[in-house]
Amino acid sequence: MIISSVKKYKKYFTVSPKKVVELLGYNLDFSADHSLSEQDLWLMNKSKMEKARHILKNRWGYPAFREGQEEAVNAVLERKNTLVLFPTGGGKSLCYQLPAIMLDGMTVVISPLVALMQDQVQQLRERGIAATFINSTLSTWEIEQRLANARNGMYKLLYCAPERLQSPLWQAELPKLDLSFIAVDEAHCISEWGHDFRPSYREIRPAFESVDGSVSWIALTATATPEVRADIQDNLGFEDPVIVSKGFERPNLKWWVTATPKKDKKLLEAVSQAGERGSGLVYGGTRRNCERLAREISNRLELKAEAYHAGIEAEERQRIQQQWVDGELPLVVATSAFGMGIDKADCRYVIHYVMPYTLEAYYQQAGRAGRDGVESFPLLLFKSSDLITAEQRIKDSYPEKKQLQHLYDALCDSLDLAVGAEMEKMQQVSLDALATRSGFSKRISRSALNVLSHLSIIQLVERINPQIGIHFVASRDYIRTVITEAKNQRKAIFLDTLLRQFGGEAFGEMKFIDFDYLQQKLNVSPNAVKKGLQILQDHEQLLQFEVTGALPLVKIVDGRRSSLGLSKAELERHRNTLLKKLDYMRGYIQTEHCREVYIRQYFGEEAVKPCGHCDNCLKGQTSDYHFGNSDLLSIRQALEKGGKTVAQLCRQFGWRRERVKKSLSHLIREEKVVERSEKYFWRDHQM
């Protein structure tokens, strides 16, 4: 039964009618007259968690919380500081997004990756939740506008890059914001023991000192050792937090390491076996490897595979990513950047052709397999020289003191920055140009930038998405006249959209926004965007435009110094941490015991029992091992689908006849397989 308006039934509630609508998960304009059912009225008198479950279903479409989520949400709603330790794909973001729309005021989310915060904001908006972000890709004018909107209560969630918290503009606006809750995503970045340490993360708590007593906190990570957990709690001032951990057990993942000097051959064998299971992901390490391996897999196995790396145009990367998520592309061979924030539950296998340097990175990347709980296979291909190469690259990644000073000076010169001068905003830097100016290789130049960032001498932001910049050279009145009098309606819409998106600031200087975002607003193809801008620039002379690639953004902290004044200990501290982490990776590869036990103990779990299904656990049960399981398991899975001849099994797996016969003989002796009319059947699936 529908009963008249919310306002009429205000007496039923202890909160305002507007809050009723928000809590129920509706996306309504409250100036209109809206109705609630008796069920809605009944719900308003229920507990916070009953309301949370209702919102979970209404907004997210989920019938129930996943393991650990309800405990975390409840802790946040009770205004308790909370530390969430969920594995990759465990649903961390819901633990702060859902409470954010239930709590009064606004939630600030600290996120380290530009692309991830933009994706999450887009997803929230699609669910009718008011959210935005501020980071270094936005102009000062746009940031000021979004902060003004936040001050006026227009957002429930505001995503912010950690570097932004130190800006004078943020510090000036912070006391004016109605904050109730702060979420620190990827919280392992706080710790120098974390595999992705960012100095700016250690300044998060001090940045909120002015509102410290009125807000609660949540910190979330998928990869935290005991040292990292302690560092997170200490740095954020969590004295007695609620700790919600799902543990690091992934019972559906069959951890496997194959030591081989012939990685290409083993990779082809692994993909050949795995191709029938579903979609897969190969981490190739370098751009060159990704291109070469994708071609080889496509040509040799007749399995469609494509390379993915930063050298590919953004539009093409988006196509590859979406086709893989949709199941149209069975295999992607990628650098480590692929997979961040991608929600694909049914990836059946992840193969590392190149060894990651930390167990955290390996666990996070390999954990993208089997997020739906179905049996899946992470495989690490390894040869002895990998560890030697990794150790040398870590050492080489830390330039000497003189090299660091020289690169710093070259960077400041490229930015036209005198000693003592400060930068107002981040600027784009070409690594090629910096290498040329410094006389160093691109590798040394990149390493030096990373070290300077770790030491908080510069702010460094990796720009994921290409940008497009526009500077209107004609007056606003003239452009509006062109729009009004245009005979071509498409041209009028195109130009009007540009004017709305870039605003008044673009009349004074070149203003940049994401290319993909502008393309969506214009509702035309990427080529049509560039062609239209070219016409408006060359023929109409209304504007000037630039298209930038995925170049990093840099800002010198506290003005240019004449001397960095760094000690040897400062330079080597983080390097030594990475070398120690490499030792743990070596231990994982070389252990003769259960690999899952090794991983879980590394992350601090105790009394862990062997999994029974990794390669080490299976050594005593089978005689020949391959990707994701033994040859025996591969044959079993093939025969469970129906009888096969030896020739058919050879063609299916690309094996020699002797290898197939050996496995079949073993299975026949074990009374698992029977032979009939030259075909072999699994006993439980006989025809």
Side-chain angles (χ1 to χ4, degrees), residues 169-185:
L169 177 59
W170 171 266
Q171 289 298 321
E173 289 292 332
L174 179 59
K176 307 171 188 176
L177 301 177
D178 182 18
L179 293 188
S180 61
F181 179 40
I182 299 169
V184 182
D185 204 4

Side-chain angles (χ1 to χ4, degrees), residues 56 70 176 186 285 291 457 521 528 565 596 621 626 646 670:
L56 178 71
E70 185 162 347
K176 307 171 188 176
E186 307 294 343
E291 297 283 357
I457 294 170
K521 290 295 182 181
E596 186 172 290
Q621 303 175 30
H626 268 275
V646 172
E670 295 291 323

Side-chain angles (χ1 to χ4, degrees), residues 495-511:
L495 186 54
D496 183 62
T497 303
L498 292 178
L499 192 59
R500 292 176 183 276
Q501 295 303 316
F502 286 88
E505 190 178 7
F507 285 91
E509 61 180 359
M510 186 74 69
K511 179 186 176 183

Side-chain angles (χ1 to χ4, degrees), residues 255-467:
W255 302 96
W256 210 268
V257 175
T258 295
T260 175
K262 300 178 180 179
K263 284 189 178 183
D264 284 20
K265 179 182 176 183
K266 290 296 183 183
L267 177 65
L268 291 172
E269 289 177 358
V271 173
S272 176
Q273 292 183 49
E276 293 187 354
R277 296 179 178 276
S279 300
L281 181 57
V282 174
Y283 283 105
T286 66
R287 297 183 185 186
R288 183 176 298 178
N289 277 348
C290 292
E291 297 283 357
R292 179 179 63 82
L293 294 173
R295 283 196 305 269
E296 196 166 345
I297 290 169
S298 297
N299 295 336
R300 297 278 295 277
L301 301 181
E302 297 183 355
L303 178 74
K304 187 179 180 183
E306 294 199 44
Y308 180 104
H309 54 72
I312 297 173
E313 290 290 333
E315 181 185 1
E316 184 69 359
R317 290 203 307 270
Q318 181 61 35
R319 177 192 65 78
I320 293 170
Q321 176 179 310
Q322 196 58 51
Q323 286 188 351
W324 186 72
V325 169
D326 294 341
E328 299 171 8
L329 177 62
L331 179 63
V332 172
V333 186
T335 55
S336 59
F338 185 83
M340 294 298 292
I342 297 176
D343 187 13
K344 181 174 174 64
D346 60 346
C347 176
R348 294 279 74 89
Y349 63 97
V350 173
I351 304 175
H352 277 83
Y353 183 85
V354 173
M355 175 195 73
Y357 293 177
T358 70
L359 200 54
E360 289 96 330
Y362 179 66
Y363 178 80
Q364 192 172 53
Q365 293 166 10
R368 290 177 183 134
R371 290 170 63 166
D372 56 2
V374 176
E375 184 180 58
S376 302
F377 303 91
L379 167 67
L380 173 61
L381 297 176
F382 168 79
K383 60 182 179 182
S384 56
S385 62
D386 288 348
L387 286 167
I388 299 172
T389 301
E391 183 174 345
Q392 191 58 49
R393 285 184 176 174
I394 289 174
K395 291 178 178 178
D396 289 346
S397 69
Y398 278 74
E400 297 176 359
K401 185 176 179 180
K402 288 182 179 179
Q403 290 177 311
L404 204 61
Q405 181 71 56
H406 182 67
L407 191 285
Y408 173 79
D409 290 336
L411 173 63
C412 292
D413 289 343
S414 70
L415 297 169
D416 294 325
L417 205 63
V419 173
E422 297 185 3
M423 296 177 63
E424 293 185 3
K425 60 182 180 180
M426 303 193 90
Q427 293 187 33
Q428 187 171 272
V429 171
S430 166
L431 197 59
D432 290 328
L434 186 60
T436 300
R437 179 183 283 267
S438 66
F440 295 151
S441 67
K442 284 181 65 176
R443 179 179 61 81
I444 291 293
S445 299
R446 163 60 71 185
S447 298
L449 285 178
N450 289 333
V451 173
L452 291 170
S453 176
H454 280 304
L455 295 172
S456 298
I457 294 170
I458 67 170
Q459 292 179 12
L460 178 65
V461 175
E462 297 293 340
R463 177 174 273 169
I464 304 297
N465 298 326
Q467 304 274 300

